[in-house]
Amino acid sequence: MKSARIHTHGGPDVIVVDDVPIPEPGPGEVLVRVTATSFNPTEVAVRAGLLDVALPHTLGWDVAGTVEGEPVVGWIDGAAAEYAVTTADRLVPAPRAIPLADAAALPLAGLSAWQMVVEHGNAQPGHRVLVNGAGGGIGGFAVQLAKHAGAHVTATASPRSAVAVRELGADVVVGYGPTGRFDVVLNLVADAEVARLGGVVVSATRCDAPGSHFVTRFDPAQLTALVALVDQRVVVVDVSERHGLAHLPELHRRAEAGDLRGKVLVTP
């Protein structure tokens, strides 16, 4: 089978597509036939050696695929391949309202947004919510979940992303360096100065608000709730691009240059 792996840390060129045996599930594991994974910017840190992984390492965390013919979606290791093994508790039934491949955009970004908006931000009807950096995958889901909670949503986005962010439900779209006061600030921009904007600050990256940073965790109940919102057409899965495994080095280059918008799917 084809598998996108790194054998050493370094630049995008260390990513290679290898032919490897189809993995055999161990006790308590299942074999996933992968329909798609999605690119996440954190994988750049894995490739560069900023996160500790055993080598060789197969890229890809988000997965949409089938287990014994049943469509599933989840957050696993080694999803940038034609097949992957994982434990069943890392998977939930996939949404039926969208193509199975598109579901690969949901797990990591969707769970990050859920935990920012619902769990840590506790967005409520009438709250003024700022999504700072709404043009990425997490930001798009955060805008939708905050609107679903009944909040008034202001989003910052580049001109390239502004139309898409507005279509996802943002009430106001502005450039970077927002002003005003908010009940909840959801920050997705590194080194942003957001503490002055007031309210509860929840940040997926470093910023000037101490104690605001959180790390996304896998939660099957939350992912199941997200799947239900997709099937109810409350949450739209916005896929901006689709590529094969061989394009991963170029996607990493573009990510480092800030040239990706929304969620990008990768198919084996």
Side-chain angles (χ1 to χ4, degrees), residues 91-232:
L91 303 167
V92 304
R96 301 284 184 161
I98 60 175
L100 180 56
D102 289 14
L106 188 60
L108 200 156
L111 284 171
S112 298
W114 181 285
Q115 289 164 25
M116 293 182 80
V117 174
V118 178
E119 189 172 304
H120 296 283
N122 192 27
Q124 299 293 319
H127 273 176
R128 296 183 61 81
V129 172
L130 172 68
V131 181
N132 191 39
I138 299 173
F141 286 122
V143 167
Q144 295 181 77
L145 291 173
K147 283 300 296 179
H148 181 57
H152 179 280
V153 178
T154 298
T156 69
S158 67
R160 177 186 60 186
S161 302
V163 172
V165 169
R166 190 172 288 108
E167 289 176 347
L168 291 174
D171 297 289
V172 179
V173 180
V174 298
Y176 294 110
T179 59
R181 300 288 290 180
F182 300 90
D183 299 293
V184 182
V185 176
L186 309 174
N187 179 58
L188 298 159
V189 178
D191 297 321
E193 296 181 358
V194 292
R196 60 185 167 79
L197 300 173
V200 175
V201 178
V202 185
S203 184
T205 186
R206 62 188 182 274
C207 70
D208 69 338
S212 65
H213 184 258
F214 85 106
V215 177
T216 308
R217 71 183 191 285
F218 179 72
D219 187 308
Q222 292 176 356
L223 184 54
T224 298
L226 281 165
V227 166
L229 291 177
V230 172
D231 279 336
Q232 295 162 18

Side-chain angles (χ1 to χ4, degrees), residues 42-104:
T42 315
E43 293 179 60
V44 171
V46 172
R47 187 211 75 222
L50 302 178
L51 297 177
D52 186 29
V53 296
L55 298 176
H57 174 76
T58 302
L59 298 169
W61 289 315
D62 291 319
V63 69
T66 55
V67 174
E68 298 182 350
E70 290 298 313
V72 295
V73 62
W75 180 352
I76 69 173
D77 289 324
E82 293 182 275
Y83 291 88
V85 294
T86 188
T87 54
D89 60 359
R90 303 290 297 186
L91 303 167
V92 304
R96 301 284 184 161
I98 60 175
L100 180 56
D102 289 14

